[in-house]
Amino acid sequence: MTEQTSHDEEAIQRRPDDCETIQLLIGDDGCRTTVRNLLTDQYELTTDRSVSDADLFVVGDDRFATHESELRRRARRPAFCPVVVIRCDPRADAMSLPDPHASDEPTLVDAVLRTPLDSATLRRRLQSLLVRRRQSLALQNRQSASDERDGDRHRIERSGSQHGRADSGDDPDGNPSVSVPDVTDGAGDDRYESILNRTYQFTGLLEPDGTVIEVNDAALEFGGIDREAIIGTPIWEAYWFRRSESLQRRTKSDIERAAGGEFVRRTIEVQGADDTAIIDFSIRPVRDEQGAVTLLVPEGRDITELDDRRRELQRSERRFEAVFEDPKMLAALLDPDGTVRRVNQTAMAYVEPDHAAIRGEPFWETPWWDDGAREDLRRWIDRAADGEYVEYEREHVGKGADTFTVVGTIRPVTNDEDDVVSLIVSAHDITERKRRERERERTNDQLERFASIVSHDLRNPLNVLAGSLEMAAETGDGEQFDHCRDAIDRMDRLIEDLLTLARQGERVDSVAAVDLQRLAADCWRTVETNAGSLRFDGTVTIHADEGRARQLLENLFRNAIEHGSTNPDLQTQQDAVEHGDNGITVTVGGLDDGFYVEDDGHGIPPDERQRVFDNGYSTTPDGTGFGLAIVETIAVAHGWGIRLVESDAGGARFEFTDATETD
């Protein structure tokens, strides 16, 4: 018994000299103790700090990176030297075996085992790998003896399988190739038994014409095929390839390409005894010293589970794309710190910059958010990064400084450990919905005002009418009929104004250039204005719906005549209207971006200037109170601003902005 020690590695007893040596590159912890207890009765163990000349290496996942370069140098030697990785930390990311076809570099890791270790599994895996180690050494020794005996220099360039290692080489065309000893000598079974049958892959040997020479047990068991029944037959006629005639034709074509020196690889679905399997299928050509293809090595790696995961991933990606690129939703994918990773096309349509200019920027610095919203957004992102589902409603800035309203969410996306790994922002444009809500509110308000007017303002003249008729019936006084006619006239004016308001709506559908002087002169003639005069201050062209602009001017003129006499006494006003004495002057003129209508009457007190636009508000007993309400409604429908101030002569001046013709 021998003992080897170091200052930080404990001594491990070694087995007799004829035992295989296994080197443990595992930290001094419970994992190494477990492996040592499972193996000391069968193998010689060493715990040298550096990689020594062992037959097999057991490496802890936390020390793999430390010894990787040394292990890789050993992997390039002709003889196969296996490496097993133990996942001592179950929380560490799983290690995956590299694809042997992806590089000419030898496969470095031959097995990955998880803790807690199963004794039978560990011993079975190590025994399988060490059998392949012995067979690899035997092949090397036989090759050396053969070279010394007859000068025949067979060089193992590659083992023909990911499980046997040798120096790599390519044919003159750059295709991966294999050079192996002649399998027809007496040592053939010994040489290839471990390569064929100590593997979970489907492996075989073929003549260049595709005739089967040998197939490993894994492939035979999968297909439920007897070895003797398949040896000597074309491989494309075997049970595995009978799923379809097209698969058989394609396999035969692959054999012909490989026989010509080409390395062939594809993913196919083959038939098994109980089910089908998706395999990574390849055919490697084997050449002699003259470069002629003498053998073909077919391999099949079962990737059904990987393919299922790949397809599920593709389905998930397609589902994500379908949701993310929803044309009715604005969406962005962010890192937890708010950095933009991706924005969908719907959101990009609202702004000018391209996607590349936005990707990688903080989300709150992107064009959708104005200065007043950025701090709010940063707080929302911080809350979402802490795992909170955040809902918000905000007004965004779009192209040309247009604004639009959205309702949105910021949703955290977590991994299996509930750590937030990304944020998904999604929002819906509710600008039109908000507009409809405002219109509905205005309509409801209008209906309420109408109901109030009908119940109050119309009831008064109806009561007058009913009372006057009753008095006339009782007394025969004809004067009562005059009161009836006055009440009917007032109801008629109320109904007419109510219908006008009801027909105004909110929008103006079509506008055109209108000569304001011409239109005002026409309106003046249609209103009873015998007590006043109209004058113009320059010429103005406005952009308006002419019919509704006519209603606006007529109501302003009527209001000036009825309420704007220079004599504040009501009776004097009525005399002036009736006889044309002491009449007022109404002036229509232009502003920088609109027009004004003013009179030289007694004006409207400042504390009443806002109330005059309310429905039903009037300063005269016989007024309906809707004239100026109609004026305001028409102005708003055009998008004009309206302001009531005092004129230079002390009367009322109505100013309308944003009303002149635009290019």
Side-chain angles (χ1 to χ4, degrees):
M1 304 290 286
T2 61
E3 184 175 272
Q4 188 172 18
T5 62
S6 64
H7 75 280
D8 61 351
E9 301 276 345
E10 69 177 282
I12 295 183
Q13 292 189 350
R14 309 181 73 176
R15 305 298 299 169
D17 294 339
D18 58 347
C19 289
E20 283 105 338
T21 300
I22 297 178
Q23 182 168 351
L24 304 182
L25 302 174
I26 308 175
D28 186 9
D29 53 21
C31 180
R32 190 176 71 178
T33 301
T34 300
V35 175
R36 183 197 60 191
N37 292 340
L38 293 174
L39 301 179
T40 50
D41 63 336
Q42 188 172 353
Y43 301 102
E44 177 181 329
L45 303 182
T46 180
T47 56
D48 289 346
R49 183 179 302 174
S50 60
V51 173
S52 63
D53 193 17
D55 297 297
L56 182 145
F57 296 89
V58 178
V59 189
D61 55 359
D62 59 339
R63 297 207 174 182
F64 180 81
T66 303
H67 301 289
E68 181 178 2
S69 59
E70 297 176 279
L71 293 171
R72 193 171 296 282
R73 282 195 295 271
R74 286 190 57 83
R76 296 191 179 97
R77 297 183 182 182
F80 172 61
C81 187
V83 175
V84 176
V85 172
I86 302 295
R87 286 194 61 198
C88 300
D89 184 358
R91 297 169 298 177
D93 293 335
M95 296 184 64
S96 59
L97 297 179
D99 187 348
H101 304 301
S103 170
D104 285 336
E105 284 289 327
T107 302
L108 186 58
V109 179
D110 301 281
V112 178
L113 301 178
R114 296 171 176 264
T115 55
L117 294 170
D118 176 73
S119 174
T121 300
L122 176 64
R123 290 174 177 271
R124 184 168 60 250
R125 297 300 294 276
L126 297 186
Q127 178 64 26
S128 173
L129 293 172
L130 288 170
V131 167
R132 287 157 54 192
R133 164 76 172 167
R134 291 195 295 270
Q135 293 294 333
S136 175
L137 291 172
L139 282 171
Q140 189 177 6
N141 292 336
R142 287 193 183 100
Q143 186 65 46
S144 299
S146 177
D147 290 346
E148 293 174 358
R149 183 172 57 252
D150 54 18
D152 182 24
R153 298 184 180 276
H154 292 292
R155 182 169 57 88
I156 301 177
E157 296 179 346
R158 190 170 294 196
S159 70
S161 155
Q162 74 170 31
H163 304 286
R165 293 199 184 93
D167 291 335
S168 62
D170 294 341
D171 67 12
D173 297 326
N175 297 316
S177 60
V178 182
S179 178
V180 298
D182 186 356
V183 297
T184 59
D185 62 20
D189 290 343
D190 290 340
R191 294 178 183 183
Y192 292 101
E193 190 277 334
S194 65
I195 295 176
L196 291 174
N197 292 322
R198 302 297 182 181
T199 176
Y200 295 104
Q201 293 190 167
F202 307 148
T203 309
L205 292 174
L206 308 177
E207 297 284 1
D209 64 357
T211 301
V212 178
I213 298 173
E214 184 58 276
V215 180
N216 74 341
D217 292 342
L220 294 172
E221 291 173 3
F222 169 73
I225 302 172
D226 182 71
R227 177 177 277 103
E228 299 304 321
I230 195 174
I231 301 298
T233 63
I235 189 172
W236 58 83
E237 293 182 359
Y239 180 71
W240 305 294
F241 300 94
R242 293 180 187 172
R243 290 198 68 253
S244 67
E245 292 183 1
S246 63
L247 176 60
Q248 291 179 306
R249 288 194 302 269
R250 193 163 63 247
T251 304
K252 182 178 180 181
S253 175
D254 291 342
I255 294 294
E256 293 171 353
R257 291 167 54 196
E262 182 181 351
F263 170 69
V264 180
R265 184 182 182 187
R266 72 168 72 249
T267 299
I268 62 175
E269 186 174 5
V270 293
Q271 184 63 52
D274 301 318
D275 201 354
T276 62
I278 307 295
I279 66 170
D280 178 8
F281 181 63
S282 64
I283 307 173
R284 295 176 179 269
V286 180
R287 299 175 183 273
D288 59 18
E289 284 190 339
Q290 288 73 41
V293 176
T294 59
L295 289 173
L296 301 178
V297 180
E299 290 182 278
R301 184 162 57 102
D302 189 346
I303 59 170
T304 305
E305 184 176 347
L306 293 175
D307 191 70
D308 289 344
R309 288 201 297 268
R310 177 182 61 81
R311 292 181 181 180
E312 179 57 34
L313 179 61
Q314 290 177 339
R315 285 192 291 268
S316 297
E317 289 176 347
R318 287 194 295 269
R319 288 193 293 266
F320 176 79
E321 285 296 318
V323 173
F324 191 77
E325 292 296 344
D326 185 343
K328 296 184 179 180
M329 179 178 71
L330 293 75
L333 182 63
L334 313 178
D335 287 329
D337 64 357
T339 301
V340 177
R341 289 161 55 184
R342 184 177 172 188
V343 179
N344 75 347
Q345 293 301 313
T346 304
M348 292 304 304
Y350 283 83
V351 294
E352 294 291 352
D354 60 17
H355 190 269
I358 292 174
R359 189 170 56 245
E361 294 295 320
F363 191 44
W364 52 84
E365 296 293 340
T366 56
W368 295 280
W369 305 89
D370 59 24
D371 293 339
R374 285 171 181 157
E375 284 304 315
D376 288 340
L377 178 59
R378 294 186 69 161
R379 287 195 296 271
W380 298 338
I381 287 176
D382 289 342
R383 288 164 52 193
D386 288 338
E388 182 180 347
Y389 186 91
V390 180
E391 297 179 286
Y392 69 92
E393 181 177 318
R394 200 75 190 194
E395 194 171 76
H396 283 311
V397 179
K399 292 180 180 178
D402 291 336
T403 59
F404 59 99
T405 305
V406 302
V407 58
T409 62
I410 305 176
R411 179 168 62 88
V413 180
T414 59
N415 58 16
D416 293 339
E417 286 75 34
D418 289 333
D419 297 323
V420 176
V421 295
S422 60
L423 305 175
I424 294 180
V425 183
S426 59
H428 294 275
D429 188 342
I430 60 169
T431 307
E432 184 63 22
R433 190 181 82 190
K434 284 290 186 180
R435 184 192 64 78
R436 290 196 300 268
E437 288 177 356
R438 289 192 294 268
E439 288 184 352
R440 185 165 57 250
E441 289 174 1
R442 281 191 291 269
T443 300
N444 291 339
D445 290 343
Q446 192 175 46
L447 288 174
E448 289 179 6
R449 288 195 299 269
F450 287 174
S452 174
I453 292 165
V454 170
S455 63
H456 181 268
D457 291 25
L458 281 178
R459 182 176 290 119
N460 288 337
L462 281 173
N463 289 337
V464 171
L465 178 61
S468 297
L469 288 174
E470 184 176 352
M471 288 292 294
E474 291 178 358
T475 65
D477 183 2
E479 244 182 68
Q480 298 300 325
F481 292 106
D482 292 334
H483 296 316
C484 292
R485 282 190 288 270
D486 291 340
I488 292 172
D489 288 342
R490 175 164 173 73
M491 285 191 293
D492 185 61
R493 288 196 303 272
L494 280 169
I495 292 171
E496 182 179 351
D497 283 348
L498 284 171
L499 292 176
T500 299
L501 277 174
R503 283 194 285 261
Q504 294 308 306
E506 181 61 25
R507 297 189 178 191
V508 172
D509 295 327
S510 61
V511 293
V514 177
D515 183 337
L516 185 62
Q517 184 173 342
R518 175 191 59 80
L519 181 62
D522 290 344
C523 294
W524 188 260
R525 286 190 290 270
T526 61
V527 177
E528 294 183 9
T529 59
N530 56 326
S533 60
L534 177 68
R535 63 181 294 270
F536 299 99
D537 180 13
T539 59
V540 182
T541 299
I542 63 173
H543 211 53
D545 178 302
E546 183 168 338
R548 298 179 71 177
R550 179 184 295 275
Q551 290 177 321
L552 179 142
L553 291 174
E554 288 177 349
N555 279 277
L556 287 174
F557 294 163
R558 188 177 294 112
N559 180 77
I561 296 300
E562 293 178 354
H563 303 283
S565 172
T566 56
N567 187 338
D569 181 75
L570 178 60
Q571 183 59 48
T572 304
Q573 292 179 38
Q574 293 173 341
D575 292 341
V577 170
E578 182 178 353
H579 303 293
D581 298 329
N582 300 322
I584 69 168
T585 299
V586 177
T587 303
V588 176
L591 300 173
D592 289 341
D593 61 345
F595 67 99
Y596 70 88
V597 177
E598 69 176 17
D599 61 60
D600 58 358
H602 66 273
I604 300 174
D607 58 348
E608 294 185 12
R609 288 174 188 168
Q610 189 57 42
R611 297 176 58 198
V612 297
F613 294 108
D614 295 341
N615 286 327
Y617 180 80
S618 177
T619 59
T620 61
D622 59 345
T624 64
F626 294 111
L628 294 182
I630 292 172
V631 168
E632 183 185 45
T633 301
I634 295 172
V636 171
H638 280 85
W640 300 341
I642 181 172
R643 189 163 69 114
L644 172 57
V645 296
E646 183 177 324
S647 70
D648 291 341
R653 176 183 171 101
F654 296 85
E655 296 180 344
F656 301 89
T657 56
D658 299 321
T660 53
E661 184 177 9
T662 58
D663 294 335

